[in-house]
Amino acid sequence: MNNQNNQNQNAIYIGIDISKRELEIHSYEVALKLPSATPNTKSSIAKLIKKLAKNEHIHCVFEATGGYEKLLLSMLQTEGIKASRITPSLARNFAKAQGILSKTDAIDAKVLTDFGFKFNPRETAPVDPVIEEIHALVKYRRHLNDELLRERQQLEHTPPKSIETMVKSRIKTLTNQVEKVTKMMIALKTKSPEIDEAVNILTSTKGVGDNSALSLLAAMPELGKLTNNQASSLAGLAPFNRDSGKYRGRRMIYGGRKDVRQALYMAAL
């Protein structure tokens, strides 16, 4: 049995279903006296952590929920409490495999607890704060570019002069903001020697500039610690078999991180 399994033999898994306003909590450990739910706020999470910290074997399992899980994850990691942030599809497929088709916050929390005991998920590694900031800038830059595309589309239908003037003004503003955010991203790489080195390695590949490299590192901070197969699978670029008996189906990519593929698209072109 490997070290990961040895370390998790005594683990007490706590399933937490996260929404914008609330954390639904499930545990089989009655002695911990955990609440069934608590607000998703710093003060409430701090009270929950006080209870969790009483047992060194606690391991929290929750899904990635578009950022609503970040506060809980960072506070658990700060206190040294084990935490695993998993892909939502893993938990849902695990529930379906058990015949659980109903979906409520309480059911989802219990499924996450059972998922922990069944699969011993790896702890989520702490995120470099510089990478976290770069990731936020990448997302905002993508938002600005989407807005820029929509504004440019307004000019395709010969709008009245009054609207055309406003659209062109907004295009100029958005373009300047995109350039500003890009410069902020590139400036951040010098704050971390590790990130700076990773960017230099990535940009040595033809077609990959600073922007593409930083976008890749933000979307996949594990780069450099994975095998080629693991990286391609995590990016959703690994072709999966579709075979049955003598039938050999067409290999297709599936799942993975959309942000990584978006970062690779222009560089690949």
Side-chain angles (χ1 to χ4, degrees):
M1 188 176 287
N2 59 33
N3 289 334
Q4 176 72 13
N5 286 334
N6 283 332
Q7 290 171 0
N8 286 321
Q9 276 183 335
N10 299 318
I12 297 171
Y13 288 98
I14 310 293
I16 304 176
D17 185 70
I18 301 173
S19 65
K20 181 179 179 179
R21 294 184 177 83
E22 195 173 62
L23 308 178
E24 186 78 28
I25 303 158
H26 178 272
S27 171
Y28 291 114
E29 197 71 15
V30 179
L32 288 172
K33 297 181 180 179
L34 298 178
S36 60
T38 192
N40 191 1
T41 62
K42 193 170 185 178
S43 58
S44 295
I45 292 173
K47 290 177 184 176
L48 173 64
I49 284 175
K50 273 189 177 181
K51 291 179 176 289
L52 297 176
K54 293 177 181 178
N55 193 309
E56 62 179 2
H57 299 298
I58 293 294
H59 189 148
C60 296
V61 183
F62 45 88
E63 299 171 340
T65 55
Y68 294 127
E69 81 289 349
K70 285 184 178 180
L71 179 61
L72 175 65
L73 177 62
S74 63
M75 290 182 71
L76 287 171
Q77 291 179 335
T78 298
E79 294 301 319
I81 298 172
K82 297 181 180 69
S84 294
R85 176 174 55 185
I86 67 170
T87 304
S89 60
L90 292 178
R92 189 87 296 264
N93 289 336
F94 176 63
K96 288 179 180 178
Q98 298 178 86
I100 301 172
L101 302 180
S102 299
K103 193 179 188 309
T104 67
D105 293 344
I107 289 173
D108 289 349
K110 181 179 182 299
V111 166
L112 288 164
T113 301
D114 293 339
F115 183 95
F117 281 110
K118 181 68 177 178
F119 296 108
N120 301 329
R122 290 186 179 278
E123 289 183 61
T124 298
V127 178
D128 185 325
V130 177
I131 281 288
E132 191 78 7
E133 188 173 354
I134 290 171
H135 190 218
L137 287 169
V138 168
K139 287 182 71 175
Y140 188 60
R141 185 178 183 276
R142 191 168 291 135
H143 164 74
L144 290 173
N145 277 321
D146 288 343
E147 290 292 310
L148 196 53
L149 176 63
R150 279 191 281 271
E151 290 299 326
R152 284 172 175 156
Q153 287 172 339
Q154 293 292 325
L155 297 177
E156 293 177 1
H157 306 290
T158 319
K161 192 67 179 177
S162 55
I163 294 177
E164 182 182 346
T165 301
M166 287 189 289
V167 169
K168 286 183 176 179
S169 174
R170 182 153 164 73
I171 286 173
K172 185 177 179 180
T173 300
L174 288 168
T175 301
N176 290 337
Q177 287 180 331
V178 168
E179 290 175 359
K180 184 177 179 180
V181 170
T182 302
K183 287 177 182 177
M184 290 169 68
M185 284 168 52
I186 294 171
L188 274 173
K189 71 174 185 174
T190 59
K191 286 190 175 182
S192 169
E194 186 179 344
I195 293 172
D196 199 21
E197 182 184 359
V199 169
N200 289 334
I201 292 170
L202 287 167
T203 53
S204 66
T205 301
K206 186 177 179 180
V208 179
D210 282 346
N211 181 43
S212 295
L214 288 166
S215 297
L216 280 171
L217 290 170
M220 193 187 286
E222 303 93 340
L223 271 176
K225 303 167 187 174
L226 304 170
T227 65
N228 289 348
N229 287 341
Q230 287 172 331
S232 59
S233 181
L234 199 56
L237 295 171
F240 290 102
N241 295 0
R242 291 177 179 270
D243 301 338
S244 179
K246 294 183 178 180
Y247 173 76
R248 294 294 177 267
R250 183 181 177 187
R251 272 58 175 160
M252 298 177 71
I253 63 172
Y254 177 80
R257 297 180 186 174
K258 183 180 177 182
D259 288 355
V260 177
R261 296 193 297 279
Q262 287 178 323
L264 287 169
Y265 178 71
M266 288 308 297
L269 284 184

